[in-house]
Structures are given as C-alpha cells and as structure tokens.
Amino acid sequence: MKKTLRYNFRLKPNPQQELKLIEFGSYARGLWNFLLSENQRQYEADKTFSFYNEMASKIKAIKKLPEFSWVKAFDSGAAQQVARDLDTALRNGTSKKSHQYFPKFKVSYRVKKQHNDSYRSVNNNNCIRIENGAITLPKVGAVPIVLHRNLVSSIKTATVQYRHGKWEVSLTQEVVCDEAKRLLKSIAGYDINSKQTIVGSNGLTVDNPKYLKQAKQKLTRLQRQLSRKKKGSARWNKAKSRLNSLHGSIARKRMDFAHKTAHRIANESDIAVFEDLNVAGMQKFNGRMVADNIMGLISDLTKYKVELRGGVHHEIGRFERTTGVCSHCGQHHKLALKDRDFTCVSCGTFSDRDYSSAIAVQRLGESDLMANGTVVRLTSSTSTQQKLDVKTKVFALAKLSLGSEEIEKAVA
Ligand SMILES: [Zn+2]
C-alpha cells in the first residue's frame, strides 16, 4: 500500500523570486477564475460542465491569444494542475454525497490586503529537485529552502503559498507502507476529557499544552485591540499583521504537538482506537472546543502513522456510549461533568472516569474489528484470568492466517 505524505518547508526567496512567486500565485488564481466562469457559462447554456481534459485543451488554445500571453509565462505543469484541482472541486461540489460547496471565485490579494494565493507545480522529469539548500521550481529557479527534515522519497508536487507572513512550500511524496503486521500485540483505546487531556487504556496520558491556552488568551487580546482601530488605517494594518503572525505560530505549535502525540500513540499501539471525534466533541464540549478539535487532528495523524507501520487504526461508531461504562462488567452510569470517578452499582468496582471510558473505547473497537473480520483474537488457553488483563491481548490480522505453532508462540 502506498501513501501520499505532505511536508511543509519554509522558503526564503530573494526579492526577484518573491515577485515571481506572487505573480505565479495570481496566474493560478486568474486561470481558476477564468475556467470557473467558462464552466458557469456552459452550465447555463446546456447544463453540462467541462472536466479536466476539456479544460486542459482550452488552456492550450488560449495560450495563443495575445490577451492570454501570461498563461505562456506561467509554469505549464502548474496551469494544468489548476484544471485538475477545479475538476476535483466541480465533482465534489456537484456530488450529492459530499458536503463540500460548489467552487468559488478566488479573490485578489490587492482586495484582501493579506494575500493568500498559492500554486502547485508538478514534478515532471525531475524538474522539481532539492540541491545545496535550495529547491528548483519550474520557471522560478533555485529558491533557498529550510530543510528541517530529510525527504523520505522523491517529490510529486510542490505547492507554494504565502501564509501568515511567510513563504512556504508543501511537498507531497509517495511512501510505501510497511508490510501489514500479522501479529498485533497491543491494542489501546484513546479518550479525551473535557479538559482536553488524552487518556489511553494503556495508561498513556497527555495534557493539552499550556502554551496553546496562553496563546489563545493573547489572541483574544489582539482581536480586541484590532476591533478598536479604524479599518484600513496604518495602526489597523499593523495590528492585523501581528494577529496574522500569531495565528501562524499557534497553528504551527498545534501541529507540532499533534504530530508528537500521534507519534507516541502510534509507537505504543499496533491497534489504535478512537471515538468519532466530530460528534463526541460536540456532545462533550457544546460546540466550544469543536473549532479547535485537536483530538480529531491527532486521530487523523495517528491513522497514517499507524498504517505506515503496518498497524490498524479504527474509529468507533458515532453514538456509542463510552463515558461512565464500568470497565469490569460493562454497566452504564450517568455521570455529571464534575464526577471524576464512580463506583459501579452492579459489581462495586471503583473506576476513574477517563480511564474507564478509554477502556470502553478500546472494547468497542475490538468488537468492531472482530465483527468486520479485520482481526481475529488469539486466545490463550492457560487461564481465564489472563483474558481480563488488557495488556496480554494478542490479535492476528484475519487475512494473513497463522500456523498453530505461531499462535502458541504468540500467546505464550
Ligand atoms: Zn461493574
């Protein structure tokens, strides 16, 4: 199985290159808007759209016209990529299954002051490559890059964007996953509590970092300051760009925290089970925390990290109850938000609120994965006591069956 990974790097273009990048971003936006308006016109006439092939040949045709000479100056691979992206957006926007909106026109940065144009080059015949601390981009040349990590494979595409006052390139690379693990020796469920602490059924706990909370307070203060200034004034612009760079630094810190946490989780569990966090988040935090649903991000990042290692990631169904479930007998209890622990009314077991819901998440994941035939449980015949112990559970991937000798070895 192959996966496409995306990594962001900082770019340090010289002034001429910077002008070129701004120009190319505006070409991509211009082309997008042109192709979209052509599509709208066509739709009004005969209720059809042009998809990639027709749009690509249209780009070829307009290049010859004098008023479209700028298309010739643009990277041709990136121009085709605009058609490809619009193709995807049209298909998503018109499909009944997807919740995405119909594609919109892109606004010029001169109008919005803070420009956010981007364009994507495609690596044809090694035209995008990194040498001597610089990335070569078609028709731009060698732009200095901050390589904070090594590339894992060859580059597929490079998206250049100016974001939060800094130039960035996002590189996609194709990576082959490790062979699927035949034996899955650890399973853990992960739950998040109302204080945004992550609790795993394997004992892992990760607190939501303080610096994110502090940054949020600073953000509120800056927003208040901005609202008191006259829109468009020099002071307003200054406050706006300070706000922008704080947004950027929060986004980067948050991503860093999510990656590190996901990495730990992927290291510690062959099977990682999460709640469906969009809904769980809404139920737990009444909308407030959903906007910065960091757990959803961690779950997504864990998915690819676990799968790269040949493990299994699973999200349990939307409406499963996990809070207040006794980890010993499965009895449900109604808990108030302030109840941090409870004693089971049925069996008398004393449970910690967060830990017991992590166990409930894990159990639900376990039964889902066995029911849909992803894994089989390798039970130990030695004792029933062992079955109750979470850490000794061993599973095998159902599609790769094991010999009986291997099973004995695995559960021993
Ligand atoms: Zn109980």
Side-chain angles (χ1 to χ4, degrees):
M1 187 169 52
K2 279 183 179 175
K3 270 188 183 305
T4 301
L5 298 187
R6 174 183 297 278
Y7 292 114
N8 292 342
F9 299 91
R10 185 77 59 78
L11 285 183
K12 304 247 162 140
N14 65 33
Q16 289 94 329
Q17 289 172 335
E18 183 163 25
L19 284 180
K20 198 117 224 182
L21 296 179
I22 293 175
E23 206 174 284
F24 277 15
S26 71
Y27 292 165
R29 164 167 47 82
L31 205 53
W32 170 280
N33 288 348
F34 168 74
L35 293 170
L36 182 56
S37 72
E38 287 290 289
N39 257 308
Q40 286 189 338
R41 220 164 38 102
Q42 183 184 333
Y43 185 77
E44 273 160 32
D46 63 5
K47 301 276 175 262
T48 63
F49 290 115
S50 291
F51 290 104
Y52 174 69
N53 287 335
E54 293 146 277
M55 284 194 279
S57 45
K58 192 168 265 168
I59 293 173
K60 262 187 201 144
I62 61 169
K63 258 189 197 175
K64 296 183 184 107
L65 305 171
E67 65 266 40
F68 284 102
S69 60
W70 53 270
V71 180
K72 241 191 238 166
F74 192 24
D75 164 13
S76 61
Q80 281 170 14
Q81 189 60 43
V82 173
R84 212 167 275 135
D85 290 342
L86 184 55
D87 177 284
T88 314
L90 282 170
R91 287 180 202 277
N92 286 340
T94 51
S95 123
K96 283 204 177 63
K97 273 185 212 156
S98 135
H99 298 291
Q100 297 194 47
Y101 296 108
F102 194 78
K104 284 183 186 151
F105 287 102
K106 294 190 172 169
V107 189
S108 155
Y109 78 89
R110 284 190 187 83
V111 177
K112 284 172 52 175
K113 277 270 196 304
Q114 315 274 346
H115 70 103
N116 57 348
D117 287 336
S118 68
Y119 79 94
R120 188 178 316 165
S121 289
V122 185
N123 195 5
N124 296 318
N125 307 317
N126 206 25
C127 65
I128 302 173
R129 57 190 179 274
I130 295 177
E131 292 157 339
N132 308 322
I135 181 167
T136 302
L137 295 168
K139 289 196 179 172
V140 180
V143 184
I145 186 172
V146 182
L147 268 187
H148 63 276
R149 68 181 299 153
N150 291 328
L151 298 187
V152 280
S153 71
S154 63
I155 300 163
K156 276 176 73 191
T157 66
T159 307
V160 179
Q161 190 177 22
Y162 186 72
R163 221 159 51 129
H164 306 303
K166 292 186 168 91
W167 284 99
E168 250 180 38
V169 65
S170 171
L171 303 177
T172 55
Q173 302 164 75
E174 211 162 63
V175 182
V176 182
C177 295
D178 286 350
E179 224 172 282
K181 283 181 184 153
R182 291 162 41 148
L183 271 181
L184 302 152
K185 289 186 179 163
S186 48
I187 178 168
Y190 295 92
D191 181 71
I192 182 171
N193 67 18
S194 54
K195 293 198 180 82
Q196 296 225 311
T197 300
I198 298 149
V199 178
S201 59
N202 55 0
L204 175 124
T205 51
V206 182
D207 273 323
N208 195 24
K210 230 182 223 152
Y211 57 77
L212 280 180
K213 278 180 214 156
Q214 285 163 349
K216 293 258 164 62
Q217 285 166 359
K218 204 172 162 195
L219 195 68
T220 325
R221 206 164 59 232
L222 281 183
Q223 270 160 346
R224 213 179 311 126
Q225 285 171 7
L226 183 72
S227 68
R228 289 202 208 102
K229 296 187 167 66
K230 194 170 169 249
K231 201 174 175 182
S233 70
R235 280 164 182 274
W236 183 87
N237 275 332
K238 205 174 158 195
K240 180 80 184 167
S241 78
R242 277 213 340 253
L243 190 62
N244 244 355
S245 67
L246 182 60
H247 268 300
S249 98
I250 292 177
R252 284 188 294 273
K253 280 177 184 161
R254 185 172 171 271
M255 202 42 138
D256 180 62
F257 167 70
H259 267 291
K260 282 181 180 148
T261 310
H263 185 84
R264 270 185 76 181
I265 292 175
N267 262 348
E268 290 178 16
S269 28
D270 288 346
I271 306 176
V273 187
F274 287 83
E275 294 175 272
D276 184 324
L277 290 141
N278 293 322
V279 175
M282 245 179 284
Q283 284 164 346
K284 279 185 185 171
F285 314 124
N286 296 322
R288 189 172 64 85
M289 293 292 193
V290 180
D292 50 22
N293 180 355
I294 197 157
M295 197 59 188
L297 181 63
I298 292 171
S299 176
D300 287 348
L301 293 175
T302 304
K303 181 176 162 64
Y304 94 77
K305 287 183 204 282
V306 165
E307 285 173 359
L308 271 179
R309 285 170 169 76
V312 175
H313 170 278
H314 180 70
E315 276 187 12
I316 57 169
R318 303 205 147 194
F319 299 111
E320 303 285 4
R321 273 204 52 161
T322 54
T323 306
V325 178
C326 172
S327 53
H328 186 70
C329 73
Q331 172 75 37
H332 284 204
H333 302 79
K334 216 174 167 64
L335 299 184
L337 210 60
K338 63 170 179 23
D339 300 336
R340 303 313 309 161
D341 42 49
F342 61 96
T343 304
C344 179
V345 293
S346 165
C347 72
T349 305
F350 179 78
S351 307
D352 173 75
R353 176 202 185 105
D354 299 331
Y355 184 62
S356 68
S357 46
I359 295 212
V361 170
Q362 182 209 311
R363 296 239 169 102
L364 285 164
E366 211 176 297
S367 54
D368 279 2
L369 288 170
M370 286 197 281
N372 69 20
T374 308
V375 298
V376 285
R377 172 89 188 267
L378 302 177
T379 32
S380 157
S381 53
T382 46
S383 73
T384 47
Q385 191 55 42
Q386 237 180 343
K387 276 187 197 167
L388 297 170
D389 190 352
V390 194
K391 281 171 192 153
T392 57
K393 278 185 186 167
V394 178
F395 297 84
L397 212 61
K399 59 183 174 192
L400 302 166
S401 56
L402 295 172
S404 58
E405 245 174 63
E406 286 172 292
I407 293 178
E408 255 171 53
K409 238 188 186 167
V411 293

